[in-house]
Each structure stands twice: as C-alpha cells, then as structure tokens.
Amino acid sequence: MMKKLLHTKSAPGRTLFRRRMATFMGPLEVVWAENEQVAWSVVAITLPGVSPVAMSAAPGKPCDFTGDPPGPVQKLEEDLRRYFEGERVDFALDRVDVSRCRSFQRKVLLETFRIPRGTTLAYGTLAERVGVPGAARAVGTALARNPFPLVIPCHRVIRSSGDVGRFGGGSDMKRALLRLEGVSFDAKGRVGPIPRSAGA
C-alpha cells in the first residue's frame, strides 16, 4: 500500500515529492522532483532503514503533501511492488535521473544496471568493466552512494570470495534481495563460486 507523505522545497522553482510503500523488509520511499524545465524525475529510492543519500543533492525542509504522482512514477512504484512480490521485473532506466550523479559514479551505475537478475558480479570485475582495473574500493564507494537501489541493482555486486560485502540496508537485506531473485547461498552465507566471466 502506498501512502502520500510530503514534499520538499529545494532550489527555487524545484519541488521534491516523496511517497512511502510497504515491503516485507519495511517501508521504502520513492522521491521525485518537479520543476519548470523538467516535468518530473526520480532522484532517489530509499530502502528501509537507509538514509536518503541522494537527498543531499537537493536539500530542503519537508512539509506535508497530498496528491498523486505523475504516471511514470506510479509505474515505477508498481514495478517495485511486483518486484517485492517475487515477480521478474525489467526496470526502466529512463525513470530515474542518473544525470545527477558524477561521471565516474554514473559509469559504475550504468554498468551495474546491466547485471542480470539472479546473477552476481565481483567488485573487481565491475572495476575492470568500467575501465579502472584494481579500483574495486572506488567502485564500492560509488555503489554505496547509489541513489536508485533495485532499479540499479547494486545488491548484485559482491566480493570475489562469495561474501556479499557491504550494503546500505545491511548484509541480511542484501542476501534477502538476492534470494528473492533466486541466488543461493552456502552454510556460511556466501554466494557460490562466481564464473570467471562474471566475477574476479
């Protein structure tokens, strides 16, 4: 169930809107912006219990809001609902505003978007794919600030050992999302061996 929550004034002429939806992990929020130049753009998806990292790009004080979001935002919310019900969902990248991210992070996020459901990729391999071999730590930092989890599936990026590694919502949430997508784990909570074509 969706609940209408609030909007936030940021820069002049720009308004942020936020809605909350219930999931089996807790409430998730979708944040979008409207202004005179752009009718709407999703600027953040905030997982349960996670600080809204993308909000720093458009700070403001929250205030009450009632109303319906634009149709594309409603479609994103519907896709998220279906995802948490275990359906296979092909999220659309054009519903989120990656242009707000810096160049390196944008490159990492766009490559992460290509990781198929039910598979994982090692941080080191992702670094190689974006042209910075050996920069697994920098890739991890870029993913830690991912404004669009689930749409850009940073939970599919893990350590080469099979350990899930860090995640904004915690390692248990990361495992829960991967299990939802059909990834299996051993008794120690690690993903099985990653093929060389997929991991490092």
Side-chain angles (χ1 to χ4, degrees):
M1 172 182 283
M2 301 288 181
K3 295 182 180 179
K4 301 162 189 173
L5 281 188
L6 51 87
H7 77 267
T8 303
K9 276 286 186 182
S10 55
R14 185 177 180 85
T15 304
L16 293 182
F17 299 91
R18 179 171 66 183
R19 274 164 53 109
R20 179 176 293 177
M21 63 180 291
T23 76
F24 68 84
M25 297 187 301
L28 171 149
E29 291 180 345
V30 176
V31 182
W32 74 96
E34 292 183 353
N35 59 29
E36 295 178 358
Q37 290 73 35
V38 182
W40 66 272
S41 60
V42 172
V43 297
I45 298 170
T46 305
L47 294 174
V50 180
S51 298
V53 294
M55 295 296 286
S56 61
K61 295 181 180 179
C63 57
D64 293 335
F65 166 75
T66 58
D68 293 324
V73 177
Q74 291 189 42
K75 180 61 169 64
L76 174 59
E77 292 175 338
E78 176 63 16
D79 286 346
L80 289 167
R81 183 193 63 77
R82 290 172 50 229
Y83 173 85
F84 280 105
E85 290 178 353
E87 294 185 37
R88 190 178 191 91
V89 176
D90 293 321
F91 288 107
L93 193 59
D94 61 1
R95 294 194 185 109
V96 297
D97 189 5
V98 294
S99 68
R100 298 169 61 85
C101 303
R102 296 193 177 191
S103 177
F104 175 73
Q105 185 189 29
R106 185 164 60 248
K107 186 180 294 187
V108 171
L109 296 181
L110 292 176
E111 189 63 36
T112 301
F113 179 74
R114 299 173 57 189
I115 303 173
R117 177 188 175 94
T119 66
T120 57
L121 190 74
Y123 290 99
T125 299
L126 183 56
E128 292 174 3
R129 290 187 179 182
V130 298
V132 285
R137 186 180 296 274
V139 163
T141 298
L143 294 177
R145 297 172 181 166
N146 175 16
F148 313 112
L150 304 181
V151 172
I152 296 178
C154 54
H155 60 281
R156 296 175 190 162
V157 184
I158 67 172
R159 294 174 178 165
S160 58
S161 64
D163 184 87
V164 295
R166 296 187 177 187
F167 188 62
S171 57
D172 287 343
M173 182 185 292
K174 192 169 185 176
R175 289 189 188 92
L177 292 172
L178 290 172
R179 285 193 180 98
L180 185 66
E181 298 178 357
V183 175
S184 58
F185 296 83
D186 64 19
K188 294 183 178 180
R190 295 175 301 195
V191 177
I194 308 173
R196 274 302 298 175
S197 61

